[in-house]
Amino acid sequence: MEKARIAVLVSGGGTNLQALLDAERRGELRSGEITLVISNKAEAYALTRAGNAGVKTATVVRGDYPSQEAFEGRIIELLEKNRTDLIILAGFMCILSADFTSRYPGRIINVHPSLIPSFCGRGFYGLKVHRAALDYGVKVTGATVHFVNEVPDGGEIILQRAVEVREGDTPETLQRRVMEEAEWVILPAAAELVCAEILRKKHKGEKI
Ligand code: GAR
């Protein structure tokens, strides 16, 4: 069966990448295959996870390029060479330019560790999101998978899942619960939904 070709962009530990790799292995992600992992950090453990799964990797570091355009140009080159259908941002800690995102409408998705529109946008990433949720005192938080457009965390929502905040939570304990109960569940599920839609469009000869 033909599958959508997925490139995953990462920066760190790569637990969301692992959830995608596991879902593919279990046959839950069946309309897509992870064919490339790109990291903007050479030391990202996500690269080891990709290597262990036999997935091709590349490292593209912003500081090695004279401009954001040149940095993104290298990423685009790798994506094109890979014949990428879907780009998944899984803990990718860079904001991509409108030039980049407008090249791939409906073909970039991101996982964000809150219920958008709370605690999202520029400056809200990683543990900062959970710290902000605890400081505000919300009793429920969660995760969101959404399409990526030119507005940081502003694209159409695909899936969300709520997670309760518990008495005594720290940013670290809350992050872990949000990952386990929400991110690792909805990211593979959303990837399957979008890959199936991309394949449907390809078969009908529609523009993807
Ligand atoms: C995840 O919690 C992800 O939602 C978040 O960074 C973490 C990456 O973990 N992403 C953002 O905050 C993006 N705005 P991982 O490398 O273990 O998947």
Side-chain angles (χ1 to χ4, degrees):
M1 189 188 99
E2 194 201 351
K3 294 187 183 218
R5 293 173 64 80
I6 302 172
V8 185
L9 273 54
V10 297
S11 302
T15 64
N16 279 288
L17 167 68
Q18 192 65 55
L20 289 164
L21 292 165
D22 293 347
E24 187 182 339
R25 185 175 36 79
R26 288 196 299 262
E28 291 160 17
L29 173 54
R30 55 186 178 282
S31 305
E33 58 179 326
I34 300 161
T35 49
L36 177 64
V37 170
I38 301 176
S39 174
N40 70 323
K41 299 259 186 258
E43 68 282 5
Y45 185 67
L47 290 169
T48 305
R49 295 181 188 273
N52 289 344
V55 175
K56 209 165 51 178
T57 63
T59 302
V60 186
V61 178
R62 171 66 181 85
D64 293 344
Y65 295 83
S67 62
Q68 180 72 12
E69 194 185 352
F71 166 68
E72 291 181 356
R74 176 63 184 145
I75 296 176
I76 290 166
E77 194 175 79
L78 290 163
L79 293 171
E80 303 292 315
K81 198 167 147 223
N82 178 59
R83 290 177 284 115
T84 306
D85 294 306
L86 175 65
I87 301 160
I88 301 183
L89 309 184
F92 186 61
M93 302 302 185
C94 284
I95 293 186
L96 293 162
S97 73
D99 278 348
F100 184 98
T101 57
S102 62
R103 280 180 96 94
Y104 305 104
R107 295 208 287 137
I108 314 176
I109 67 173
N110 177 50
V111 60
H112 183 78
S114 75
L115 293 174
I116 288 176
S118 290
F119 312 117
C120 65
R122 226 169 255 280
F124 285 102
Y125 57 87
L127 278 175
K128 286 177 196 272
V129 178
H130 303 292
R131 199 167 290 125
L134 290 174
D135 286 350
Y136 198 95
V138 293
K139 302 301 176 202
V140 175
T141 184
T144 303
V145 180
H146 61 94
F147 284 110
V148 174
N149 63 11
E150 70 289 354
V151 181
D153 298 324
E156 186 192 338
I157 290 171
I158 304 167
L159 290 175
Q160 288 188 305
R161 182 172 278 216
V163 173
E164 71 162 351
V165 178
R166 293 190 194 147
E167 196 69 37
D169 260 336
T170 62
E172 289 78 8
T173 60
L174 186 56
Q175 178 183 53
R176 182 72 192 182
R177 190 173 324 109
V178 168
M179 284 176 157
E180 280 177 1
E181 294 183 9
E183 296 183 48
W184 301 343
V185 179
I186 63 172
L187 182 60
E192 173 56 27
L193 285 173
V194 177
C195 285
E197 178 62 10
I198 287 173
L199 288 184
R200 190 191 64 74
K201 285 187 176 167
K202 268 191 167 183
H203 290 152
K204 288 184 106 182
E206 290 174 25
K207 191 177 170 302
I208 60 163

